[in-house]
Amino acid sequence: MKAGIVTIGDEILIGQIVDTNSAWIAGKLTLAGFEVEEMQSIGDDADQIKNTIDHLFSRVDVILLTGGLGPTKDDITKKTLCEYFHTKLVFDDTVLQNIRQVISHFTTLNELTRAQAYVPESATIIQNRVGTAPITWFEKNGKVLVSMPRVPYEMKYVMEHEILPRLQDKYDPESYLKKVFLVKGYTESALALHLTGFEDQLPADFGLAYLPSPGIVRLRLFVRGEHRLKEMETQEKKLRKLLDENILTDQDIPVEKIIGERMLQLSYSLATAESCTGGNISHLITSVPGSSGYFKGSVVSYSNEIKTNVLHVSENKLERFGAVSEQVAVEMAKGVQKVMNVDCAIAVTGIAGPDGGTEEKPVGTVWICTIVKDRYIVKKYQLGKFREANIMRASNAGMLQLLEMLEEK
């Protein structure tokens, strides 16, 4: 079964907001067994909406729309869908009752919000339990169009609790089988070369997809159909043998979550001292639910003053070796370990760029020290020329360096 995803809103096209809905919906549809054929972002224009629906209905079985369902004049999706499906808006008391329940704890019902209870007469109406805009489900010639709010938490709730179960009941799509490995020690191209023979011998319909990030490649082995499960297990075993110790995990989770699981397993605590990464490592670590169980805090020691006054880095070493040095990285790590009273620490100091480099220490020079209990490792990394990439590379490198130490426990 094929699906198309459409996000509606001028604010997406002008870059005022970022469309995160499409990627999330595509992931859920794929796991549910649907094949996402196309994703589009379009403006709040009636003709464009209708033309896009026509185009997609010629190619897919299911269209999922988000956006344009608000109470203001620029939200035209509901009216446009009425025109497309030759129906009209009618007032629905059940929707109004749901709206009253949703908003009762934070505001009163006004005229615009009440108007959300007008719905297309020919559509199946699905109540939005976390918002005021109802979900509309249209069917035409055996195909389905679902219109949902663009607000991410509203869309996600209704997708998981209502839309996906209904779509699976209606179409009974083939299962999507996948195995994801996080692989370290390879660039994307080097890993592809290493796996050339494996890929060439994959059975029909199997695929291997590479999603690189700095220092890590997310490798996905996939095929459609529950009947291919035994073949999937066979290919997975071959892949494990080829990758061996370069496999960080066989779960589809980020490095920061792996660190969190290991911290909890060992009952260890963690803190960071960050200069060039500006707190990005602590941001990644605390993005994991439950991180308060092991993460104590961070010192963003961007200036030498903070390095000396808070982390107790030696002024003499700063003068002799510079802020970007092995000696300073070690003292930053030891300093934050002591200040935060933790078992483990990550310290990063470097030149993110685009300015600040010298012939001796060019842009991208980074020193990272990681500590587990009374043992530390300090390494120099020579990254690239671009600031954003360097911050991400240094963040991943710091977490991977710590993870290698934790795996030895």
Side-chain angles (χ1 to χ4, degrees):
M1 289 290 116
K2 294 186 176 182
I5 302 168
V6 182
T7 53
I8 300 171
D10 292 340
E11 55 270 43
I12 296 173
L13 299 183
I14 65 173
Q16 188 175 14
I17 66 169
V18 176
D19 170 29
T20 59
N21 285 351
S22 293
W24 189 91
I25 293 171
K28 292 296 181 181
L29 285 174
T30 300
L31 290 177
F34 291 87
E35 183 179 351
V36 178
E37 180 79 6
E38 191 170 334
M39 295 190 293
Q40 289 194 40
S41 291
I42 61 176
D44 294 296
D45 180 89
D47 289 337
Q48 191 176 20
I49 293 171
K50 294 174 189 175
N51 291 337
T52 300
I53 294 172
D54 276 337
H55 164 73
L56 284 175
F57 265 153
S58 69
R59 304 181 61 187
V60 303
D61 307 287
V62 177
I63 300 174
L64 296 181
L65 306 179
T66 66
L69 297 181
T72 55
K73 290 182 179 180
D74 60 329
D75 293 307
I76 64 168
T77 300
K78 190 161 56 175
K79 178 183 176 183
T80 303
L81 291 176
C82 282
E83 295 172 1
Y84 185 87
F85 288 101
H86 306 292
T87 188
K88 62 182 179 179
L89 289 173
V90 295
F91 195 81
D92 189 316
D93 287 319
T94 306
V95 174
L96 180 61
Q97 183 179 353
N98 181 72
I99 291 172
R100 288 185 187 278
Q101 187 173 353
V102 169
I103 70 171
S104 62
H105 64 289
F106 64 89
T107 189
T108 56
L109 185 70
N110 61 40
E111 182 181 347
L112 287 177
T113 305
R114 187 178 186 277
Q116 297 277 63
Y118 281 93
V119 296
E121 187 176 37
S122 65
T124 298
I125 306 304
I126 301 170
Q127 300 299 336
N128 182 352
R129 302 300 180 189
V130 291
T132 59
I135 291 80
T136 52
W137 174 298
F138 295 89
E139 296 198 24
K140 180 180 180 181
N141 300 325
K143 299 190 176 186
V144 169
L145 181 146
V146 182
S147 177
M148 300 176 287
R150 187 178 58 239
V151 180
Y153 76 86
E154 294 184 31
M155 177 276 295
K156 290 177 182 180
Y157 181 89
V158 76
M159 274 290 293
E160 292 184 324
H161 291 84
E162 297 282 356
I163 305 306
L164 282 173
R166 292 173 188 236
L167 289 174
Q168 288 176 303
D169 286 345
K170 180 176 178 63
Y171 292 107
D172 191 24
E174 274 194 314
S175 298
Y176 179 83
L177 305 180
K178 71 167 184 175
K179 190 64 186 179
V180 175
F181 298 95
L182 287 193
V183 183
K184 63 178 181 178
Y186 285 98
T187 62
E188 181 185 13
S189 57
L191 183 58
L193 286 172
H194 179 63
L195 297 178
T196 297
F198 173 80
E199 278 198 85
D200 290 343
Q201 294 175 22
L202 277 173
D205 301 323
F206 273 78
L208 202 58
Y210 301 77
L211 183 62
S213 62
I216 305 164
V217 178
R218 183 178 168 203
L219 185 68
R220 174 168 45 91
L221 176 68
F222 63 94
V223 70
R224 291 185 182 275
E226 194 71 31
H227 63 286
R228 311 297 293 276
L229 185 57
K230 285 189 176 180
E231 285 181 286
M232 183 67 161
E233 291 172 351
T234 299
Q235 298 307 318
E236 180 188 331
K237 287 178 182 177
K238 291 180 180 179
L239 198 51
R240 284 182 184 277
K241 188 175 180 180
L242 285 167
L243 297 173
D244 195 22
E245 61 185 21
N246 291 96
I247 297 175
L248 272 173
T249 181
D250 60 1
Q251 300 178 65
D252 193 4
I253 59 176
V255 177
E256 51 267 27
K257 186 170 177 61
I258 303 172
I259 286 178
E261 291 176 350
R262 191 69 174 134
M263 284 284 169
L264 291 171
Q265 185 182 34
L266 294 167
S267 297
Y268 282 175
S269 54
L270 171 66
T272 66
E274 304 183 54
S275 184
C276 64
T277 49
N280 191 57
I281 298 175
S282 60
H283 162 70
L284 293 170
I285 290 169
T286 56
S287 69
V288 178
S291 55
S292 60
Y294 49 87
F295 187 72
K296 292 291 188 71
S298 177
V299 176
V300 181
S301 53
Y302 219 63
S303 71
N304 286 349
E305 182 183 1
I306 300 301
K307 290 180 177 71
T308 55
N309 292 346
V310 178
L311 296 176
H312 308 296
V313 174
S314 162
E315 289 186 11
N316 179 52
K317 288 184 179 178
L318 277 167
E319 291 175 5
R320 286 179 60 198
F321 304 108
V324 181
S325 63
E326 174 183 358
Q327 293 79 4
V328 169
V330 171
E331 292 210 347
M332 286 171 63
K334 289 181 176 180
V336 80
Q337 184 186 36
K338 184 176 181 180
V339 167
M340 299 286 183
N341 189 27
V342 292
D343 302 296
C344 307
I346 304 172
V348 182
T349 180
I351 306 166
D355 304 317
T358 64
E359 189 172 333
E360 182 185 356
K361 297 178 183 179
V363 168
T365 303
V366 174
W367 281 95
I368 299 176
C369 181
T370 48
I371 295 180
V372 174
K373 294 291 188 176
D374 57 355
R375 176 172 171 258
Y376 73 84
I377 292 175
V378 60
K379 292 182 181 179
K380 180 183 179 181
Y381 295 83
Q382 199 62 57
L383 307 178
K385 297 180 179 179
F386 301 102
R387 183 179 186 83
E388 187 175 348
N390 286 341
I391 290 171
M392 197 62 239
R393 286 191 180 105
S395 298
N396 279 351
M399 291 190 292
L400 286 171
Q401 189 171 305
L402 178 66
L403 191 57
E404 286 178 7
M405 297 181 72
L406 293 172
E407 292 302 319
E408 295 172 5
K409 292 292 179 180

